Amino acid sequence: MRRRGGAEAVEHGNGDGSGRAAEGRAERPRRGWLGWCPRLRTVLLQLLLMYISVPFLVRLFPVILTKFVFLNFMAFPFFADLRQPALLLNNTISLYLPTEPGVTVGIWHTVPGSSGTEARGREQRWFEEALADAHPIIIYLHGNGGTRAASHRIQFMKLMGAAGFHILALDYRGYGDSSGHPSESGFTTDVLALYDWAKARSGNSSIIFWGHSLGTGIATNVARKLQEERGVQVDAVVLESPYTNIRDAAANIPITKIYRQFPGFEYLILDSMALGNMFFRNDENVKVLACPLLILHAEDDTVLPPQLGRQLFETARRAYKDKSKVKLITFPEKLGLGHDYISSNPELPTLVK
């Protein structure tokens, strides 16, 4: 009986196992591939939840948006010693300027290449006095992310310095080795302080605001403020890879592409710019300006498309009484200058002059 019972047990066990295996094989196609990847399914659900949550978080907490607009936490190149510009640039010193209580900004001053030999070993006072040597002065206002030591900014300073310009390149508050926290109004305060500092030392030298990308909005903000509040007209404004206003810029930059079809995109993301006190109204500012205005844009700019530069040009041209003061220069796609590398075009100094 034991043998028989054992045999029966074995037989019963085999029958039961075969039934389950057959049943499993029958069920497998019906469960689908996601059924066998619970971890992947969880990750996909989490990504979907994040995608849906971001616009609402931006609307509730606009400070999140300021981080993405300013990108000051991306302080590349990460190991550059901003106090030692000579490691990257000739004829350059680093200086620090208090712009308001508790805020000091870092600045590089590059003198014209013709003064390079004389500049060696000189102290800051000599560089300050050199500002009155009749060479034009560019106050360079960089875009978001990185510091004044970023490679394309170094390239700009080399090119324009060799062409006979002084360059004063600052890191706004919250960038590089500057103290404080970034804000649109704070940037205006910083640049006004630098303009006043340079004007007090420049004699009859021309002072030009040169803004790149985000910096174009800062350039026109300051130029407008000088004109409206002091009756002072800056000698010229150059806008490289500009936009009409920060709302339009956000609607066109690649990072927002995944949200452009999202229900409520304009309300949740674009309108939240104003809640974060970010406007950068180039289109409104140029209506007020009367100084020479040069707009530069590359046809292959994939960050801020060239139609924004053209719209800004048309707005300025309609507003200016003297139309000859407004110029637009576009660079063909075959040059490959994109958003950041108009400064690598050797013809740039001639075009500006």
Side-chain angles (χ1 to χ4, degrees):
M1 286 186 66
R2 285 181 194 165
R3 269 193 224 119
R4 191 172 169 189
E8 284 178 359
V10 170
E11 188 177 326
H12 179 71
N14 286 345
D16 189 43
S18 300
R20 282 198 300 270
E23 189 178 317
R25 284 194 297 272
E27 286 180 359
R28 191 173 302 155
R30 292 199 301 271
R31 292 182 65 179
W33 65 274
L34 278 176
W36 299 104
C37 305
R39 218 174 265 185
L40 178 60
R41 182 170 51 186
T42 301
V43 169
L44 291 175
L45 287 173
Q46 288 173 343
L47 288 174
L48 178 62
L49 182 61
M50 287 174 61
Y51 173 78
I52 295 171
S53 300
V54 166
F56 294 97
L57 290 172
V58 163
R59 185 70 188 184
L60 291 171
F61 306 103
V63 68
I64 296 173
L65 201 55
T66 66
K67 299 294 184 185
F68 284 101
V69 171
F70 298 143
L71 294 178
N72 59 302
F73 58 89
M74 295 179 64
F76 56 84
F78 297 105
F79 301 107
D81 186 350
L82 297 173
R83 296 166 299 176
Q84 300 292 331
L87 299 174
L88 299 168
L89 270 172
N90 295 325
N91 319 327
T92 303
I93 63 161
S94 185
L95 59 101
Y96 295 89
L97 179 68
T99 61
E100 67 180 10
V103 177
T104 299
V105 297
I107 302 160
W108 280 356
H109 178 190
T110 299
V111 297
S114 57
S115 303
T117 302
E118 194 179 354
R120 289 176 188 164
R122 297 285 189 166
E123 299 295 327
Q124 180 176 327
R125 184 173 178 179
W126 180 89
F127 277 78
E128 291 183 23
E129 292 173 351
L131 288 169
D133 64 7
H135 286 91
I137 301 163
I138 293 174
I139 293 180
Y140 180 65
L141 310 173
H142 66 64
N144 63 350
T147 69
R148 58 193 186 275
S151 60
H152 59 287
R153 295 163 191 163
I154 294 284
Q155 176 63 37
F156 173 83
M157 288 180 260
K158 286 180 177 178
L159 183 67
M160 301 308 287
F165 291 85
H166 287 272
I167 299 99
L168 296 170
L170 82 155
D171 277 321
Y172 322 111
R173 61 184 62 200
Y175 284 79
D177 53 354
S178 300
S179 60
H181 302 282
S183 70
E184 182 172 0
S185 60
F187 297 160
T188 300
T189 299
D190 295 341
V191 179
L192 274 173
L194 178 55
Y195 175 83
D196 289 340
W197 180 89
K199 194 68 177 174
R201 294 158 175 79
S202 62
N204 295 321
S205 300
S206 299
I207 297 181
I208 301 164
F209 289 152
W210 189 304
H212 172 242
S213 193
L214 180 69
T216 62
I218 300 169
T220 63
N221 277 347
V222 180
R224 179 178 180 174
K225 194 175 184 71
L226 282 170
Q227 190 161 308
E228 289 187 328
E229 296 185 7
R230 302 188 192 178
V232 172
Q233 184 174 292
V234 69
D235 293 301
V237 173
V238 181
L239 305 178
E240 178 190 351
S241 308
Y243 47 88
T244 46
N245 55 69
I246 200 67
R247 190 183 190 279
D248 289 349
N252 284 276
I253 59 173
I255 197 172
T256 60
K257 190 173 183 179
I258 61 172
Y259 282 106
R260 287 174 201 164
Q261 305 305 318
F262 190 89
F265 168 64
E266 292 193 10
Y267 172 77
L268 293 171
I269 295 180
L270 299 186
D271 292 349
S272 297
M273 293 286 181
L275 297 180
N277 293 313
M278 295 179 293
F279 302 95
F280 298 98
R281 299 185 179 102
N282 275 328
D283 50 358
E284 294 300 320
N285 293 340
V286 298
K287 293 177 183 178
V288 178
L289 302 184
C291 63
L293 176 66
L294 174 62
I295 297 173
L296 308 171
H297 222 127
E299 294 290 352
D300 60 335
D301 189 334
T302 57
V303 178
L304 294 171
Q307 65 260 29
L308 294 181
R310 291 192 186 93
Q311 289 172 20
L312 187 60
F313 168 71
E314 293 298 336
T315 300
R317 190 168 173 79
R318 284 193 298 269
Y320 267 64
K321 291 181 180 178
D322 185 351
K323 311 295 184 189
S324 67
K325 286 187 173 183
V326 185
K327 303 287 185 186
L328 169 67
I329 299 175
T330 59
F331 299 86
E333 187 175 345
K334 65 181 181 181
L335 296 177
L337 301 178
H339 185 65
D340 288 332
Y341 295 102
I342 289 176
S343 58
S344 67
N345 187 336
E347 296 180 7
L348 187 61
T350 304
L351 295 172
V352 173
K353 287 180 178 179

